[in-house]
Amino acid sequence: MCGIVGGITKNNITPLLVDGLKRLEYRGYDSAGLVVLTSKNILQRVRAAGKVVNLENSISPEVNGMIGIAHTRWATHGKPTIKNAHPHICNNNVGVVHNGIIENFLALKTQQQAQGYHFTSDTDTEVIAHGIHQALKNCDTLLQAVQQAVTLFQGAYGIGAISPKNPGHIIATRSGSPLVIGLSDKGNFIASDQMALLDITKKFIFLEEGDIADITLDSVTIFDKNGKQVEREIKISKLKSGQVSKGEYTHYMQKEIFEQPQAIRDTLESRISKNKVLTSAFGHNAKTIFQNTEHIQIIACGTSYNAGLVAKYWLEDIAKIPTHIEVASEYRYRNPIILDNTLFITISQSGETADTLEALKAVKKRNKNIHSLTICNSAESSLTRESELTFLTHAGPEIGVASTKAFTTQLVSLALLSVAIGRCHNQVSEQQEAVIVDGFNQLPNLIAKALEQEDQIIKLAKTFKDKFNALFLGRGAMHAIAMEGALKLKEISYIHAEAYPAGELKHGPIALIDKDTPVIAIAPNDELLDKLKSNLQEVKSRGSQMIVFEDETSNVMPMDGMDIIPITHNLGRITAPIIFTIPLQLLSYHIALIKGTDVDQPRNLAKSVTVE
């Protein structure tokens, strides 16, 4: 969600702060701001609503200093206005940026108003600035003030703070919201995401829960949640600055759609060998855990939830393990029955999804006889640290808010998992495994072939110019793929779209079908094909425009007002959901272009949802 960048250097920090914010734009935001501590030891702040470029154009020459913090805000408390934009300043003596939500801010605000503090925003963050300022009255250093103030805050936070009272220091702390420290010969930096600093350094320290760091030009001192000084490992990032550029593509989303063949090759690399899935790829004790697994619970949000829905079909079909899936934001607030020998699987592109992370923490407290596995795209994320087993997708940086390659690599990862568990339970023979692995090896080329249908899809997209609703249909695992297609269309084109199991049409949704509501159907050549064809006849008789993405061997009968796009052929139960995802991504992308929306940064959305 929100983005934090800060640093202390030997030269003017302002250009580096602006550049860092630009690199975090993909996370989603609605305002931006920065504050620097000038050579005269004065806090100089600039804020702007809208894009980072608006902030950049508002910066005057006097906003110049060697130490500063900056922020892109995604509105939670208070409208997306300049007064609510970060940084927040208290009495010209404390500057603060904050990711997360302070849940007890109303009580703190009432208390601080009684102490004489004046509030200039509607945000929860302002209580942080006032709280640190109040503590600073009785402390010798900004570090001590932050250590004292954070004991008041309930909720999630990643905080960067500076003060004229303690120049030359940035204090950074995290609890439930990620924060990293970048180390460089140019100085030292903080950020909510290492991508903000890739042009400056590859050396990072990932703060752990409750850590508070005192950062100067040439030192970093870290204290844990108990106030004890600790050493945290310095890690070298493998990301490259060029990986987060659009290159020859118009949008990040377009680039990431076309990167999927390589992303899947990278995800499969070192995970399959000699016609076998390597169970050890899930962790050194994965085999024992899988052998003892009797139940599986999947928790995820958004696109990752759709991937989990597909995995439920695979795990029950291939591994013969009872599998349940639930949206994390609902699961964490009820009292589920957690059976012993359950494998608790979390799925998250960033590994920082707040609801998913908190659900895992809650489950671990309630039942000690479960094992946990996370599937995510970030090696240094909170979920990887919290989980017993980790399987990393190798999608590479995904900048577009609407997930594409992260989704398909999640599917590949979950398919590998299904085979590995199935083999551990003697449900998958060597011959079956060899056939499935052969399908994995064919995936990159099959996706490349599906991408060749782009020209036809562009023509279909033009028919959506004046559409405001759409229905997606699928059966079996393809219902989950239809859900993902509908989600993509909603996210980036703002067309209202819903997905239904095709067999449910007669139970209500068919009432929505008319000439102004296009229907998109997925028709693989599987055991449900004939029933799907009957459903398509029902739709067509109601006068709807139809688009059918089919296996070349499905032989859907053409009808007036129906466009049939063959995608590929002879797909199996694992490869089919992955391949049929591709045309739905392309369709949503090109409809969004026609609608003129902000494809990479759609309104109201954030890439990493790190708050509830």
Side-chain angles (χ1 to χ4, degrees), residues 214-255:
D214 185 359
I215 302 161
T216 69
L217 182 63
D218 50 20
S219 69
V220 174
T221 308
I222 301 174
F223 301 86
D224 66 15
K225 60 185 178 182
N226 298 315
K228 179 183 177 182
Q229 186 172 336
V230 293
E231 296 291 328
R232 299 295 185 214
E233 183 181 357
I234 298 173
K235 301 198 175 183
I236 308 301
S237 175
K238 296 180 181 179
L239 295 177
K240 298 178 182 179
S241 180
Q243 287 181 286
V244 294
S245 67
K246 289 194 285 282
E248 64 186 38
Y249 295 95
T250 306
H251 297 95
Y252 284 112
M253 183 180 179
Q254 182 188 28
K255 177 191 178 193

Side-chain angles (χ1 to χ4, degrees), residues 345-520:
I345 301 174
T346 55
I347 312 171
S348 168
Q349 188 278 141
S350 67
E352 302 292 349
T353 307
D355 287 312
T356 307
L357 179 61
E358 292 305 316
L360 174 58
K361 289 180 179 178
V363 164
K364 289 172 65 177
K365 288 180 181 178
R366 290 186 55 185
N367 191 323
K368 305 298 182 183
N369 296 317
I370 67 159
H371 297 284
S372 58
L373 162 69
T374 191
I375 293 175
C376 78
N377 193 37
S378 177
E380 304 300 334
S381 67
S382 298
L383 273 173
T384 60
R385 290 194 292 271
E386 196 68 34
S387 299
E388 186 177 0
L389 301 175
T390 295
F391 189 93
L392 294 176
T393 62
H394 291 161
E398 187 179 68
I399 307 302
V401 167
S403 183
T404 51
K405 62 178 181 174
F407 177 69
T408 50
T409 54
Q410 284 173 353
L411 290 179
V412 169
S413 304
L414 290 161
L416 291 167
L417 175 67
S418 301
V419 176
I421 294 179
R423 193 178 66 242
C424 288
H425 283 257
N426 298 317
Q427 296 294 336
V428 176
S429 68
E430 288 187 8
Q431 293 80 4
Q432 289 172 319
E433 187 171 12
V435 171
I436 294 172
V437 169
D438 181 62
F440 286 139
N441 289 326
Q442 292 185 46
L443 269 173
N445 289 335
L446 290 172
I447 290 176
K449 182 178 178 182
L451 289 168
E452 292 175 0
Q453 307 300 323
E454 185 177 26
D455 287 343
Q456 290 189 68
I457 292 171
I458 290 172
K459 294 177 183 177
L460 294 176
K462 293 176 181 178
T463 66
F464 281 73
K465 181 178 180 181
D466 299 316
K467 303 299 184 184
F468 299 96
N469 300 282
L471 293 179
F472 287 73
L473 301 178
R475 299 203 69 146
M478 292 305 168
H479 172 229
I481 300 304
M483 289 175 63
E484 177 61 13
L487 178 60
K488 286 293 152 287
L489 191 62
K490 283 184 277 197
E491 285 179 318
I492 63 171
S493 74
Y494 314 147
I495 290 176
H496 172 247
E498 298 296 338
Y500 293 97
E504 281 293 293
L505 275 176
K506 292 188 289 292
H507 296 277
I510 200 165
L512 299 173
I513 294 175
D514 59 24
K515 61 182 178 60
D516 295 318
T517 303
V519 175
I520 299 95

Side-chain angles (χ1 to χ4, degrees), residues 78-138:
K79 296 179 180 179
T81 59
I82 291 177
K83 76 169 186 176
N84 289 328
H86 297 211
H88 290 287
I89 294 176
C90 179
N91 295 337
N92 297 315
N93 212 13
V94 173
V96 165
V97 291
H98 163 231
N99 286 356
I101 292 177
I102 304 302
E103 294 175 354
N104 63 331
F105 88 99
L106 284 175
L108 291 175
K109 183 174 182 177
T110 299
Q111 178 183 329
Q112 291 171 355
Q113 286 173 327
Q115 293 169 336
Y117 285 99
H118 174 62
F119 282 76
T120 61
S121 78
D122 304 314
T123 70
D124 57 326
T125 299
E126 203 170 352
V127 302
I128 298 176
H130 296 327
I132 295 173
H133 181 271
Q134 178 68 20
L136 198 54
K137 294 177 181 179
N138 306 310

Side-chain angles (χ1 to χ4, degrees), residues 53-65:
V53 67
N54 298 341
L55 172 70
E56 186 176 26
N57 293 336
S58 303
I59 296 173
S60 58
E62 62 265 23
V63 184
N64 185 312

